[in-house]
Amino acid sequence: GAMDFGVVLQTNPPASGVIAMMQRAEEAGFSYGWTWDSHVLWQEPFVIYSRILSATSAMTVGPMVTNPGTRDWSVIASLFATLNDMYGNRTVCGIGRGDSARRVIGQPPMSLATLSDAMTVIKGLAEGREVTHHGQPLRIPWVRDGKLEIWMAAYGPKALKLTGEQADGFILQTAAGLWMLSFDLNVTMEILVVNSVIQGFAVGVVWFPITTVAFGTLDARHYAEASAIFHLLRNIGSSFFISLSIAEI
């Protein structure tokens, strides 16, 4: 089928600006509208999602990414279920361990075991099924025909394994570069191979299609200038991650 494209925004104030940009993104052909979810660093995204869904006609929205540690899992499920009931199953739950959202409040990211349990509970509740939560059976009684895909952010071997086993989708989020920041001289060949596979995957399914689409919208007389700007920005980004990785090692 056709490839869908999405846009990711920070929920910086004013929220009206985020909503307007999502409207423009849908008009430009973007199918997904994502925001970051760190409730101290930026504004609360779930409040804004309702306005985005109201202002657009078909765009699917969600966090890139939420986490199982700053809200009770039943709250997360109810938020998605409410939005889906109001706007017709147009949300997706991007979820990870909670790096920025947890660290800014002085808490560590959640474990993969907790993330796995949370994905089961959130998806089950949002889709109207009974789950076990806090050691007891729980179901949201008003959910009808609910549907919620879970996309997991992952970049380590164990996290990637969990994504393949349980999630409905996979979020890269510049994972390879961020992961490289943790490398030292004791890095294993397995880690290097997995990191390289992620980078190669991103080049094939993200970088090349986006490049093609971007240049396909330009008049041929602008190719030289566009190519210069494109590769300047690309090299700045590459140099940033390479420099940090070398400095760390």
Side-chain angles (χ1 to χ4, degrees), residues 15-175:
S16 58
V18 178
I19 296 161
M21 290 181 71
M22 288 297 190
Q23 285 180 297
R24 293 178 60 188
E26 184 179 53
E27 292 168 359
F30 289 91
S31 303
Y32 287 84
W34 302 91
T35 73
W36 295 357
D37 179 18
S38 292
H39 59 288
V40 174
L41 299 176
W42 304 286
Q43 291 187 329
E44 171 57 49
F46 283 92
V47 178
I48 301 172
Y49 292 157
S50 186
R51 290 287 306 278
I52 294 172
L53 289 165
S54 177
T56 56
S57 61
M59 175 178 276
T60 298
V61 307
M64 187 178 280
V65 291
T66 191
N67 70 87
T70 53
R71 303 177 186 89
D72 188 82
W73 306 344
S74 63
V75 173
I76 299 174
S78 183
L79 286 167
F80 282 111
T82 301
L83 292 171
N84 284 340
D85 185 65
M86 294 172 67
Y87 299 103
N89 290 332
R90 289 170 52 202
T91 68
V92 58
C93 177
I95 193 168
R97 296 174 58 215
D99 287 294
S100 64
R102 294 276 297 167
R103 294 188 192 280
V104 77
I105 59 173
Q107 298 295 314
M110 308 301 288
S111 69
L112 287 177
T114 299
L115 178 56
S116 174
D117 291 341
M119 289 193 292
T120 298
V121 169
I122 292 167
K123 185 177 180 68
L125 288 175
E127 295 185 343
R129 295 189 297 277
E130 182 178 289
V131 302
T132 300
H133 185 42
H134 297 312
Q136 66 180 32
L138 184 68
R139 186 176 70 86
I140 300 178
W142 46 263
V143 173
R144 297 289 184 273
D145 302 317
K147 186 179 188 305
L148 181 66
E149 290 190 353
I150 304 285
W151 294 17
M152 180 179 156
Y155 49 88
K158 293 180 180 179
L160 290 169
K161 181 175 182 291
L162 178 60
T163 301
E165 292 173 344
Q166 191 170 344
D168 300 304
F170 174 38
I171 296 175
L172 284 170
Q173 276 191 299
T174 62

Side-chain angles (χ1 to χ4, degrees), residues 192-211:
L192 291 174
V193 169
V194 172
N195 187 274
S196 297
V197 168
I198 292 174
Q199 293 185 51
F201 180 82
V203 169
V205 303
V206 179
W207 181 80
F208 182 77
I210 288 177
T211 303

